[in-house]
Amino acid sequence: MNREILFPTPVYFKMVKDHQKLNKYLFPLIKAWSKKDKGEEKTNAGGGWHSPTDMNFKKEYKPLTDELFAMQEEIYKDYGMESKGALGNMWANMNNPGAYNKQHMHANSQWSGVYYVKVPKNSGSLFVEDPRPGPNLIMPRRVEGLPRALWRVVAYPAIEGQIIMFPAWLPHGVQQNESKEKGEKGCRVSISFNFIQINEDAQVG
Ligand SMILES: [Fe+2]
């Protein structure tokens, strides 16, 4: 027999070159920002700091946004998208031990993603879930050892220096930070963002 896989869900990931240098630059900036801004309540829970979502407009984060734009361009080619991606918003997450991010999706966006700045051991993986309502309603009993593409939930261990991007409609969350390290050492730091698609024919005003 033959088989086709239809309606695939792409998850893209890549390591940033010289990420040690980039993270050494980013961490003090984020830490200083968290000390003077009380942050926002979003999907973050259990103790941590979520920055305001205008981080993409702050010039000092250009070394990171350059990397994100380059990857977004590769995705446009791979996924067959016209026009260009624009960075709609971006924010930093500091998850202290006990913190996690509830399962959610990102509205009004095309591609969402994360970059990892600091990842203590056992500080929680990103997980993505099967976005299709049908298979979540009719859940067949299945054998062990299925290939990854057929799993219902897939976890991506956080890796310092890695960018992950996925469709904004893909349900995802972050597991609890179970680091045993104290204070700053146990804090998991990441940067999340949303890309929108520019419509060059759109009427403005
Ligand atoms: Fe998210």
Side-chain angles (χ1 to χ4, degrees):
M1 72 175 177
N2 300 305
R3 183 182 68 178
E4 280 187 301
I5 297 284
L6 299 173
F7 318 120
T9 303
V11 176
Y12 294 100
F13 44 94
K14 85 184 265 194
M15 292 301 294
V16 168
K17 245 197 234 163
D18 291 332
H19 58 263
Q20 287 95 342
K21 197 173 144 205
L22 179 62
N23 288 346
K24 246 185 214 162
Y25 168 74
L26 291 172
F27 180 59
L29 286 176
I30 296 168
K31 196 169 107 177
W33 190 14
S34 73
K35 295 220 160 110
K36 60 182 187 209
D37 192 305
K38 66 176 176 41
E40 297 188 7
E41 287 274 319
K42 301 275 186 186
T43 63
N44 48 317
W49 181 75
H50 182 301
S51 82
T53 57
D54 62 353
M55 189 177 184
N56 49 317
F57 296 110
K58 294 179 182 289
K59 291 275 176 284
E60 62 268 35
Y61 296 108
K62 192 170 181 297
L64 174 66
T65 56
D66 284 349
E67 297 287 343
L68 302 183
F69 277 110
M71 183 166 169
Q72 185 68 171
E73 209 178 306
E74 283 186 82
I75 291 175
Y76 266 57
K77 283 199 191 108
D78 187 70
Y79 203 62
M81 288 175 72
E82 287 185 345
S83 136
K84 279 193 212 180
L87 195 48
N89 56 10
M90 186 167 97
W91 62 96
N93 311 285
M94 296 183 85
N95 282 20
N96 291 322
Y100 60 97
N101 294 75
K102 293 173 261 190
Q103 191 251 57
H104 62 281
M105 291 175 260
H106 293 235
N108 303 321
S109 302
Q110 289 282 340
W111 295 96
S112 298
V114 63
Y115 172 73
Y116 296 107
V117 178
K118 187 162 110 53
V119 181
K121 202 169 153 220
N122 297 324
S123 61
S125 296
L126 169 78
F127 63 88
V128 299
E129 296 191 2
D130 189 338
R132 301 165 302 167
N136 285 315
L137 178 67
I138 297 161
M139 296 175 76
R141 293 190 305 276
R142 297 191 300 179
V143 297
E144 297 274 306
L146 285 170
R148 200 169 157 84
L150 300 182
W151 295 1
R152 213 191 71 73
V153 180
V154 176
Y156 286 86
I159 300 171
E160 286 178 4
Q162 189 173 60
I163 310 173
I164 304 184
M165 290 196 199
F166 46 85
W169 43 257
L170 182 61
H172 63 280
V174 181
Q175 297 166 343
Q176 190 163 48
N177 179 350
E178 289 176 351
S179 170
K180 299 274 174 275
E181 301 276 6
K182 297 269 174 276
E184 189 178 295
K185 277 195 168 169
C187 184
R188 179 191 195 277
V189 182
S190 63
I191 297 171
S192 303
F193 51 84
N194 289 307
F195 275 91
I196 54 175
Q197 186 175 27
I198 293 174
N199 179 354
E200 283 156 349
D201 302 324
Q203 187 179 355
V204 182

